[in-house]
Amino acid sequence: MRGFRKRKKEETRQRIIEAAFQVFVRKGFKGTSNREIARRAGISPGLIYWYFRNKEDLFRAVVEAKSFVFPLQQMARTMEDAPPQRFLSQIVELGKALARDPTMVAAMRLLLPEAIRNERVRRVFVTRAIRPGLRAVAAYLTAQQARGLLRPFDPQVGAQLWMGLLLSQILLSRLLRIRSPAPIDQLFAEALEVYLHGILNPTIPKQHRNRER
């Protein structure tokens, strides 16, 4: 019985998060009310406060649920021994999935400008999505440096440069709708080659760098 109640509680929580995501995408953080979220979720407005302290707490849960940071953190843990090209290629696949998801692109188009204007929204994005993702990549780069596969450089700088290469392509082509000189897959592939050319240890034989690809 206890397990059933716990499962129903988690199902309700996820339903609220999904409803909130849909409303936030349409109306932004400021324009969204808990009443509208509750209507979308099919619950009473007061029930939201059993699961979330306030709208900012709910928005934080939405960012965590919809962010790429959790799969990125899991990859960094499970692929710690994978060669750089294999690990970074998996991040490329995450980027492709994000760029091809119209709902996620719509959310980024609406909420990122709001994060620039609204300090509370910006803080949630940075602390719950951006920084954890960068730390996961930096941890992987650190491990690869210890194995001698990467040249010496600041892993935090390397993580920011890598994620910037990918996210900037989504920003330009999907959010700003600037006509791209090539499909997003090709842009990501070229970004991977450019980045790898800069970080790999030139003294390591090529066949060793690409082992287990």
Side-chain angles (χ1 to χ4, degrees), residues 13-213:
R13 183 177 185 275
Q14 291 304 318
R15 190 162 76 248
I16 294 171
I17 289 174
E18 187 60 37
F21 172 68
Q22 295 172 15
V23 180
F24 281 134
V25 166
R26 288 191 295 108
K27 294 196 169 184
F29 178 80
K30 188 175 181 180
T32 294
S33 69
N34 280 353
R35 183 175 297 277
E36 187 168 3
I37 293 172
R39 188 184 310 118
R40 183 87 181 186
I43 62 173
S44 63
L47 187 58
I48 291 178
Y49 295 101
W50 282 95
Y51 295 88
F52 305 98
R53 294 190 302 273
N54 48 42
K55 186 169 72 171
E56 184 173 337
D57 188 36
L58 175 53
F59 182 72
R60 184 180 298 111
V62 169
V63 170
E64 291 178 343
K66 298 299 180 178
S67 171
F68 59 85
V69 68
F70 285 146
L72 189 57
Q73 288 175 319
Q74 185 176 15
M75 282 167 47
R77 289 192 297 268
T78 60
M79 299 184 68
E80 183 181 54
D81 295 330
Q85 184 152 358
R86 184 178 171 192
F87 174 75
L88 298 176
S89 293
Q90 289 300 305
I91 299 181
V92 164
E93 293 304 314
L94 282 179
K96 289 179 183 179
L98 177 61
R100 290 169 179 161
D101 187 334
T103 302
M104 295 303 296
V105 171
M108 292 174 64
R109 185 176 293 128
L110 180 63
L111 296 177
L112 283 180
E114 189 163 350
I116 296 174
R117 296 190 300 267
N118 187 321
E119 174 60 24
R120 293 164 65 192
V121 174
R122 186 200 69 80
R123 187 169 58 247
V124 170
F125 269 120
V126 171
T127 59
R128 297 292 176 168
I130 305 301
R131 283 181 182 161
L134 292 175
R135 283 197 295 266
V137 176
Y140 171 82
L141 296 177
T142 299
Q144 294 304 300
Q145 285 179 326
R147 298 176 65 196
L149 295 181
L150 303 182
R151 66 172 179 80
F153 62 91
D154 186 331
Q156 295 181 20
V157 172
Q160 184 160 327
L161 288 173
W162 169 239
M163 297 307 295
L165 270 175
L166 298 187
L167 294 178
S168 63
Q169 302 312 312
I170 299 176
L171 174 66
L172 292 173
S173 62
R174 297 295 191 263
L175 274 63
L176 298 179
R177 297 174 180 172
I178 296 176
R179 185 168 182 174
S180 175
I184 196 75
D185 287 17
Q186 183 179 340
L187 291 173
F188 282 175
E190 291 293 339
L192 175 58
E193 291 303 315
V194 168
Y195 186 77
L196 280 172
H197 183 73
I199 67 168
L200 290 177
N201 186 342
T203 65
I204 300 297
K206 185 176 181 179
Q207 61 269 24
H208 183 67
R209 299 180 204 167
N210 296 334
R211 190 179 57 191
E212 301 178 12
R213 281 183 59 183

